[in-house]
Amino acid sequence: GAVVSQHPSRVICKSGTSVKIECRSLDFQATTMFWYRQFPKQSLMLMATSNEGSKATYEQGVEKDKFLINHASLTLSTLTVTSAHPEDSSFYICSASGLSGSGGYEQYFGPGTRLTVT
Amino acid sequence: QKEVEQNSGPLSVPEGAIASLNCTYSDRGSQSFFWYRQYSGKSPELIMFIYSNGDKEDGRFTAQLNKASQYVSLLIRDSQPSDSATYLCAVNRGTEAGTALIFGKGTTLSVSS
């Protein structure tokens, strides 16, 4: 499968600060990247869909001014959590999708970033 | 509201047995179906995808799709303790390129040695 990296893998920040998470597709061009959040013992919740060079599409209930997404190239998308609060503490995972050899658009996930806001 | 349903489990099987994981989906127009494996504290790993009715085999894994019944399953043959994880069924929301996945809540599989 394709390789997607995320950085950092773990971050602890103080309430009120901003945190930037990077997602890179290392061996294919990702036409679309997705950002998910997962709370303990719950399934993944889609936050936003990001296409290269265009504005992200946010899911209902996700504040676009709080979770800033930039997809500047076919291999890099960033998520910035602004003015973080303790309730933003979660496991943030990106996935990347591009046309595969099978003719489909499988999604491959990055390893995730565990954010703790104190 | 488009939904993907899975039994949460846990599903317990002895080592060497066949584990059968099931998933139903509500949107009859769904076209693409995926099985992900997620170990505790890790991100999901794609293990199978299936786009056509019938069976698709890859090593010890077989995905089965029945669009008429809106049902997709994953069989794991010769189950190993390392297969113990949560298995997530996911369905593409649409048929266009890069459409988002809708995930089930996952089935926890426990393989005992």
Side-chain angles (χ1 to χ4, degrees):
Chain A
V3 180
V4 179
S5 70
Q6 247 181 277
H7 178 79
S9 59
R10 188 178 295 267
V11 58
I12 301 173
C13 70
K14 296 193 177 211
S15 188
T17 60
S18 295
V19 173
K20 179 185 281 190
I21 303 170
E22 289 188 353
C23 177
R24 293 181 185 273
S25 59
L26 299 184
D27 57 357
F28 73 106
Q29 292 189 324
T31 49
T32 308
M33 287 185 172
F34 304 88
W35 287 95
Y36 295 84
R37 180 167 53 182
Q38 187 176 37
F39 293 105
K41 300 198 184 298
Q42 294 188 22
S43 191
L44 287 84
M45 296 299 296
L46 178 67
M47 299 176 66
T49 301
S50 169
N51 291 295
E52 185 261 341
S54 62
K55 290 185 178 180
T57 302
Y58 290 82
E59 295 298 298
Q60 191 172 10
V62 178
E63 300 174 59
K64 62 180 181 181
D65 294 331
K66 180 172 180 62
F67 298 100
L68 302 178
I69 293 172
N70 182 273
H71 192 161
S73 75
L74 286 173
T75 60
L76 173 64
S77 177
T78 61
L79 167 68
T80 301
V81 183
T82 63
S83 187
H85 289 126
E87 56 264 32
D88 297 325
S89 298
S90 187
F91 191 41
Y92 291 85
I93 316 172
C94 73
S95 71
S97 174
L99 183 60
S100 74
S102 66
Y105 289 86
E106 297 86 58
Q107 281 188 38
Y108 295 91
F109 283 86
T113 297
R114 192 161 302 280
L115 170 64
T116 303
V117 184
T118 62
Chain B
Q1 181 76 4
K2 297 171 184 176
E3 295 181 344
V4 177
E5 299 285 345
Q6 295 180 257
N7 287 327
S8 62
L11 173 65
S12 297
V13 300
E15 184 174 358
I18 296 175
S20 177
L21 305 162
N22 305 313
C23 173
T24 58
Y25 58 95
S26 63
D27 184 4
R28 190 169 288 278
S30 298
Q31 297 291 322
S32 307
F33 308 87
F34 306 85
W35 283 99
Y36 287 86
R37 177 175 62 197
Q38 187 174 25
Y39 293 111
S40 180
K42 303 295 185 182
S43 70
E45 173 192 9
L46 179 63
I47 53 174
M48 288 287 286
F49 58 88
I50 186 167
Y51 302 146
S52 303
N53 271 331
D55 295 0
K56 178 183 178 183
E57 186 174 319
D58 184 1
R60 295 187 295 114
F61 299 98
T62 299
Q64 299 174 317
L65 174 62
N66 184 327
K67 290 186 178 180
S69 301
Q70 295 175 236
Y71 175 91
V72 58
S73 66
L74 178 70
L75 300 178
I76 306 175
R77 290 181 300 281
D78 187 23
S79 295
Q80 301 297 310
S82 59
D83 293 328
S84 299
T86 296
Y87 289 80
L88 301 170
C89 173
V91 174
N92 257 115
R93 180 183 290 176
T95 57
E96 299 82 22
T99 52
L101 294 175
I102 302 172
F103 283 89
K105 294 187 176 180
T107 298
T108 300
L109 172 65
S110 177
V111 181
S112 56
S113 56

